Amino acid sequence: MAALDRIKVLVLGDSGVGKSSLVHLLCHNQVLGNPSWTVGCSVDVRIHDYKEGTPEEKTYYIELWDVGGSVGSATSVKSTRAVFYNLLNGIILVHDLTNKKSSQNLYRWSLEALNRDVAPTGVLVTNGDYDREQFADNQIPLLVIGTKLDQIPETKRNEVLTRTAFLAEDFNAEEINLDCTNPRYLAAGSSNAVKLSRFFDKVIEKRYFLRDGNQVCHFS
């Protein structure tokens, strides 16, 4: 069997939002029984069939890089993380639906990764204000995933999901909301599974294919 091509997808977000549980669910279709804090970065692999069910179908390895979620402002912390941002092909931004601050911090996480060659400039977003032009030239596909959906009371769920929908709109990204302790949220054929597959297909196309469908090789 020929070696499979690989793509690199960062999984970013604050500590405690459930990134490790999410990655385990995505890669193994199982609930992570005893999640622990990620120090540095942890990498797991998901097998994905690009354009499944079509003549163009091809299998790829999706490397999910779960980056430790410290949001310390020290330059040394960001410089240490920067090594994980090299040669990235896509980003999954993860926030805790019960923690509004973790949602706001996604702007900082995304800009830190996408502007890894630029010196840190401190707080990038204040009171939720967002400059869309910061992403005007972004070519890296993004996906926003909200966790702990089960912990939001039914009476508040509509309010929370309306707020986070604007978040995904800012990133020009699709949105998935789920409970990482329940695999049914990513069951085959579900809307979430379709969104996830569509995201991975988009990342692969950006990495390996030209707009006319001809395969190309990228080295950065």
Side-chain angles (χ1 to χ4, degrees):
M1 180 179 177
L4 299 181
D5 289 324
R6 295 170 178 261
I7 65 169
K8 176 180 177 180
V9 175
L10 295 180
V11 181
L12 302 178
D14 290 0
S15 294
V17 298
K19 297 189 302 299
S20 297
S21 295
L22 173 66
V23 168
H24 191 82
L25 182 62
L26 293 178
C27 294
H28 305 285
N29 196 32
Q30 295 178 344
V31 174
L32 182 60
N34 188 26
S36 58
W37 300 107
T38 299
V39 178
C41 181
S42 176
V43 182
D44 210 338
V45 176
R46 173 189 174 96
I47 296 177
H48 175 72
D49 292 323
Y50 170 73
K51 289 194 174 181
E52 185 177 9
T54 73
E56 293 79 26
E57 180 176 335
K58 183 179 178 180
T59 303
Y60 290 83
Y61 281 135
I62 310 291
E63 293 183 347
L64 295 172
W65 289 54
D66 173 13
V67 180
S70 170
V71 291
S73 60
T75 300
S76 59
V77 174
K78 296 182 179 180
S79 298
T80 300
R81 277 200 300 262
V83 67
F84 304 129
Y85 300 156
N86 293 328
L87 305 179
L88 65 93
N89 306 122
I91 300 176
I92 296 177
L93 298 167
V94 186
H95 63 111
D96 176 351
L97 291 166
T98 71
N99 181 347
K100 187 175 181 179
K101 185 66 174 179
S102 74
S103 304
Q104 294 174 341
N105 280 341
L106 291 187
Y107 297 106
R108 302 182 64 177
W109 281 109
S110 55
L111 290 170
E112 180 182 305
L114 295 171
N115 298 294
R116 57 192 178 280
D117 297 325
V118 179
T121 57
V123 177
L124 298 168
V125 179
T126 303
N127 297 327
D129 293 333
Y130 170 68
D131 181 4
R132 289 174 180 267
E133 292 185 2
Q134 293 179 97
F135 280 85
D137 297 322
N138 174 46
Q139 297 298 311
I140 302 297
L142 305 174
L143 177 67
V144 177
I145 296 184
T147 62
K148 307 183 184 180
L149 179 62
D150 58 307
Q151 297 183 23
I152 303 175
E154 288 289 345
T155 55
K156 294 185 178 181
R157 187 164 294 186
N158 186 61
E159 174 187 343
V160 171
L161 297 185
T162 298
R163 169 173 56 81
T164 60
F166 284 104
L167 181 75
E169 183 179 336
D170 281 345
F171 288 115
N172 190 29
E174 287 198 288
E175 177 188 37
I176 293 174
N177 297 309
L178 48 69
D179 165 18
C180 293
T181 66
N182 192 336
R184 74 176 178 84
Y185 283 96
L186 291 174
S190 66
S191 61
N192 284 345
V194 171
K195 289 179 182 179
L196 186 67
S197 180
R198 194 157 53 211
F199 168 70
F200 288 139
D201 279 0
K202 184 176 181 180
V203 174
I204 290 168
E205 288 169 354
K206 290 282 188 179
R207 172 67 175 85
Y208 287 107
F209 296 90
L210 291 171
R211 289 184 180 178
D212 63 4
N214 294 323
Q215 189 164 7
V216 295
C217 184
H218 292 257
F219 295 96
S220 62

